Amino acid sequence: DAAGDRTSGAGEAAPFFGFVHLFDPHWDYAAPEPYTRRFVAPGYAGPMDGSYDAMAPWVLSDRRLPEPDRDALVGYYDGEIAWLDTELARLLAALDARGVLDDTLVVLTADHGEEFKENGRLGHVRTLFEEQLHVPLVLSHRSLAPGRVAAPVSIVDVGATVLDALVG
């Protein structure tokens, strides 16, 4: 709501810059209802509830996480992604309703991904496997042709890319 509310004056007088930092999906995996358990198996009653406290014993452990517990964690994480998608859609709809979306460069990225024991670890920070390094980088503007870049890119270049789009 806050980000959408702050766009109320957008486009009326001068160009604007908005930075919206959405911390989710991130542990604790605690999306609001109805997203919390949307992707968790019905009837799952194991120890994983999406909280860091439940995950902590497994973060640095080399022990294998039981599959139902791992699947539940992925489900809680996916619930956060679904909730985030909804919030992003609301923000874009607010910009569109104010008539500024077509002139807005939207950049979506993340600072890291998450591991769910694919390489023996849980969470992020401790390794450099693909699960942590391969994050979305989406740019959207009416001047950009739809497409996909197959070559690796870096979030280090996002600032320069945005500046180039603004002055170029």
Side-chain angles (χ1 to χ4, degrees):
D1 287 333
D5 292 345
R6 293 194 176 148
T7 66
S8 61
E12 293 174 8
F16 69 96
F17 174 81
F19 175 82
V20 179
H21 180 198
L22 300 171
F23 195 67
D24 290 318
H26 208 277
W27 56 33
D28 294 338
Y29 305 140
E33 293 296 344
Y35 304 97
T36 305
R37 293 183 60 95
R38 178 182 283 180
F39 302 100
V40 176
Y44 173 77
M48 294 300 164
D49 58 6
S51 71
Y52 179 77
D53 288 343
M55 291 183 262
W58 300 94
V59 171
L60 296 177
S61 169
D62 289 328
R63 294 180 297 145
R64 188 164 191 263
L65 186 63
E67 192 170 334
D69 297 336
R70 182 194 174 280
D71 291 348
L73 279 179
V74 171
Y76 287 117
Y77 183 73
D78 288 348
E80 289 219 330
I81 292 170
W83 175 71
L84 180 70
D85 285 349
T86 300
E87 294 302 300
L88 288 171
R90 289 179 57 220
L91 175 59
L92 296 175
L95 291 169
D96 193 34
R98 289 172 175 85
V100 297
L101 183 59
D102 284 345
D103 292 320
T104 300
L105 171 64
V106 176
V107 179
L108 171 69
T109 192
D111 59 336
H112 62 77
E114 294 284 280
E115 277 187 74
F116 292 97
K117 292 290 193 173
E118 294 90 347
N119 301 291
R121 297 286 185 212
L122 181 63
H124 56 276
V125 178
R126 306 254 183 236
T127 68
L128 295 174
F129 289 108
E130 188 74 7
E131 291 79 9
Q132 290 188 42
L133 299 178
H134 190 188
V135 298
L137 176 57
V138 179
L139 286 88
S140 177
H141 186 263
R142 64 181 162 90
S143 68
L144 298 173
R148 197 172 227 173
V149 175
V153 296
S154 171
I155 61 173
V156 170
D157 299 320
V158 170
T161 301
V162 169
L163 183 60
D164 187 54
L166 294 174
V167 297

